[in-house]
Each structure stands twice: as C-alpha cells, then as structure tokens.
Amino acid sequence: MATTPPTRSPELRKDPVTNRWVIFSPARAKRPSDFKSKSPENPNNNSSSCPFCIGNEHQCAPEIFRVPPDPNWKLRVIENLYPALSRKLDHPNGQNDDSSSELSGLGWVVAGFGFHDVVIETPVHSVQLSDLDPSEIGDVLIAYKRRIEQIKQFDSIKYIQVFKNHGASAGASMSHSHSQMLSLPIVPPSVSTRLNSMKEHFIQTGKCSLCQVQSKDLLINETSHFFSIAPYASSFPFEIWIIPRDHSSHFDELDNKKAVDLGGLLKLILKKMALQLNNPPFNFMIHTSPIQVTDSELPYSHWFLQIIPQLTGVGGFELGSGCYINPVFPDDAAKILRELNVPI
C-alpha cells in the first residue's frame, strides 16, 4: 500500500529585496513536479495581417531604430501605437521636476509625459524569444540598453520599466514576439519599497542583499556572469530571478559580452520553464535603479531580471493584504528546474 509523502509545514517568509511577506502553503497544492499551465500559450502563426512582421512596417507606429539599419532587419524599436503616456506633451527640452506636481483635493497629479516603446524581437512571426540564439537575445538586451541611454537625456524621466508579456493571459495583445519599455515621470512605489528594503538590509549587514544570495538549494543554473535562482520568498510558484554576479546598479551598464552570456542563460531558463510547466504564459521584468539614483544608494542597489510563469491567479487575499500564498517552496522548484536537462 502506497504511503502519502509527508507534507511540509506552512511558513511565512519575508523577502529582503521586495519587503513582501509570502505564505508558503504546500498543503494547498499537488506535488511541485506536477505543476503545469492549465492554459498553455499557443502562438497565433497567422502573419499575413501582423504589423510586427517584416514587410508590414508601414502598419506600425513610427520607428525609433532598427538593427541592422537596413530592410533586412533583425529587430526594431518602435513607438507604441496605443501609449500609456504621451511623448508629445509640451515640456521644454523634456524638462520636468517636482515643482510640476500638483496636490489636488483628491491627490497628487503629474502631467502624463513619458515614452511607451515596443521592441519587436524578431521579423518572423512564428519565432519566439527562446528560439533565438544567445547572441540574438543579446542583441535584444542591447537594444533595451541603447533605448535607455536615449531616454536618459530627458531629465523629467525618473524610471524606465522593461517588461515582456508572453501569452494573452499574461497581458500580450500581439502573439508576435515582442517586449515593451515604459518610461515614467515618477519612481513607482514598488521600486522605492525595493530600494528601501535593500537599504535596510545593507545597514544591518553591510552587504548587498543580492550579492549575498549563495544558497545552492535555490540555484537553478549559472554562467560566468549571471546566476538564476528560485528566490527565497518567491511570491509565485516557479518564480525565477536572474542576477548579475558582479554588483551592478543599472541594467544599462550591461556590455556586449555580458549580454550574450545573459542571452544564453535566459534562453535556457525559458526553455526549461516551457518544458516543465507546459509552455505557460509568462511575464518578465527588469528591475533596475531609478535614473537619478544617488551615489550613496549604489552599494545596495542591484538590478535583476524576474520571470513569473502564470500558473495561479491572484485573489482577494493577495489584493487586500499585499501578501501572497505560494503552494511551492522555492527549493523544490529550483531542484526540479536544476535537474531538468534541455537541449539547446
């Protein structure tokens, strides 16, 4: 007669980076190895009407740049046709400061000046980011860097969020592989919370919280310049962070060599995630420092890339409390992904 394996007891863990409490409740789930996406992403391969495909450039919003700069491009950066913010608001030389904020009877108001861009990662509709080779993914990462360097010339921009939505349930309105960049005139609260939490850890220990991540139980894969982990207080099952080995505060400090190295690791992780979790919809976000970060903040500010496969929903408890319930302990998730062999 088969015996039921013992269930780990629930735990509450606080993430020293995001300052978020997470409840690990494995009794709410099946075995970690059985986790699969219930709605796998099946990309629409109909490219005839897709504005992101090569040959349909005229259907897109204005282009910012392409690589290489000729008709046979490999990637393009364009304006978002339906931007969340307006790059056309009247700001002298794009200048803006705290004096432009106004306190109304209902709260603070800032003019909605900003940039909302799309990075088309490939000219071919059926190709996904994980299908590209490491150097091609590196080119996408360097495109982010190049665009960030352009936007940093505008003093009114305080923070630049790079993100990718893969799959309709993860927020992607287009199936053609792409990512986005949203440049904001404010520093979002979650970014301020992250910096304050990392500062508190630095004051207490004298060390950067991400430089200190050494647990072999949480490690998935590593390269010369980066390592991937299931974070100690993962908010979501099979959440993954990719972290630079060397302390680096700004994503745009990335050079070409490290971009290819990161491209290889990102490809491997996305392939593993697709194979183990039934090709789930996912989001990835690059968490970097605000543009005007001070020198005193650099020792504890460390950028990283976060990947969240969409396996569970967010309910009223999470929305109301800011705490998350995760049915999978991160060391279990890390072990499963670490031991998974994927041909690249």
Side-chain angles (χ1 to χ4, degrees):
M1 179 176 174
T3 58
T4 303
T7 301
R8 296 174 67 173
S9 298
E11 287 184 14
L12 282 84
R13 295 184 180 181
K14 187 178 183 182
D15 186 347
V17 176
T18 64
N19 201 38
R20 177 182 290 161
W21 281 98
V22 179
I23 299 171
F24 288 92
S25 184
R28 294 165 61 91
K30 50 195 171 185
R31 292 179 302 176
S33 58
D34 292 337
F35 255 83
K36 307 287 180 184
S37 171
K38 295 183 179 68
S39 55
E41 169 59 13
N42 295 308
N44 175 11
N45 291 326
N46 179 14
S47 61
S48 60
S49 60
C50 173
F52 289 176
C53 287
I54 194 165
N56 293 343
E57 295 87 352
H58 62 285
Q59 298 181 33
C60 293
E63 180 178 295
I64 299 167
F65 63 82
R66 64 174 63 185
V67 179
D70 59 51
N72 293 318
W73 52 272
K74 291 186 176 180
L75 68 87
R76 292 205 307 147
V77 179
I78 65 172
E79 297 180 13
N80 193 308
L81 191 60
Y82 305 102
L85 295 169
S86 174
R87 68 189 74 218
K88 297 178 181 179
L89 288 181
D90 186 18
H91 286 288
N93 194 30
Q95 301 292 318
N96 192 8
D97 55 34
D98 293 339
S99 63
S100 64
S101 302
E102 296 181 5
L103 180 60
S104 71
L106 299 176
W108 288 97
V109 179
V110 178
F113 172 76
F115 300 91
H116 192 172
D117 305 321
V118 176
V119 180
I120 305 172
E121 300 158 348
T122 169
V124 182
H125 193 87
S126 59
V127 173
Q128 296 300 314
L129 184 66
S130 59
D131 297 323
L132 302 178
D133 65 38
S135 64
E136 291 172 325
I137 299 177
D139 289 340
V140 174
L141 299 169
I142 292 298
Y144 300 156
K145 169 192 169 94
R146 177 177 169 185
R147 183 59 180 146
I148 288 170
E149 289 173 339
Q150 292 176 344
I151 294 170
K152 283 170 70 173
Q153 300 175 23
F154 293 84
D155 291 342
S156 57
I157 298 300
K158 309 299 184 185
Y159 189 76
I160 302 173
Q161 181 66 66
V162 178
F163 63 99
K164 178 178 176 67
N165 303 330
H166 172 80
S169 60
S173 58
M174 302 284 291
S175 59
H176 192 122
S177 189
H178 69 285
S179 39
Q180 300 181 62
M181 305 177 67
L182 194 51
S183 304
L184 303 165
I186 53 97
V187 176
S190 63
V191 177
S192 299
T193 298
R194 168 165 53 88
L195 288 178
N196 289 335
S197 183
M198 297 178 82
K199 178 182 180 180
E200 181 179 345
H201 183 89
F202 184 78
I203 291 172
Q204 291 174 351
T205 67
K207 297 178 181 179
C208 164
S209 54
L210 287 181
C211 289
Q212 273 195 295
V213 177
Q214 301 291 340
S215 174
K216 292 182 179 180
D217 290 338
L218 301 177
L219 181 69
I220 302 172
N221 290 98
E222 56 187 335
T223 64
S224 298
H225 300 287
F226 296 89
F227 61 95
S228 58
I229 63 165
Y232 173 74
S234 313
S235 295
F236 304 94
F238 289 88
E239 177 181 344
I240 301 162
W241 291 4
I242 300 179
I243 304 170
R245 287 187 181 278
D246 297 330
H247 186 80
S248 177
S249 298
H250 291 278
F251 168 79
D252 54 296
E253 295 170 342
L254 189 74
D255 61 25
N256 290 337
K257 181 180 179 180
K258 290 182 179 179
V260 175
D261 191 57
L262 176 55
L265 182 55
L266 180 56
K267 177 183 177 72
L268 175 61
I269 292 298
L270 292 178
K271 287 285 189 183
K272 284 193 169 191
M273 195 171 69
L275 183 60
Q276 178 63 40
L277 304 175
N278 194 27
N279 192 25
F282 67 85
N283 306 95
F284 80 53
M285 295 73 64
I286 294 175
H287 299 288
T288 186
S289 298
I291 293 174
Q292 287 96 352
V293 69
T294 63
D295 289 344
S296 64
E297 294 172 311
L298 295 177
Y300 56 81
S301 175
H302 193 137
W303 75 266
F304 64 100
L305 189 153
Q306 178 188 30
I307 307 171
I308 300 176
Q310 294 294 332
L311 301 172
T312 57
V314 174
F317 173 77
E318 288 84 358
L319 294 172
S321 67
C323 297
Y324 286 74
I325 300 176
N326 189 343
V328 181
F329 276 93
D331 50 310
D332 291 334
K335 184 176 187 294
I336 291 167
L337 293 173
R338 182 171 59 246
E339 295 177 353
L340 182 65
N341 291 318
V342 177
I344 295 296

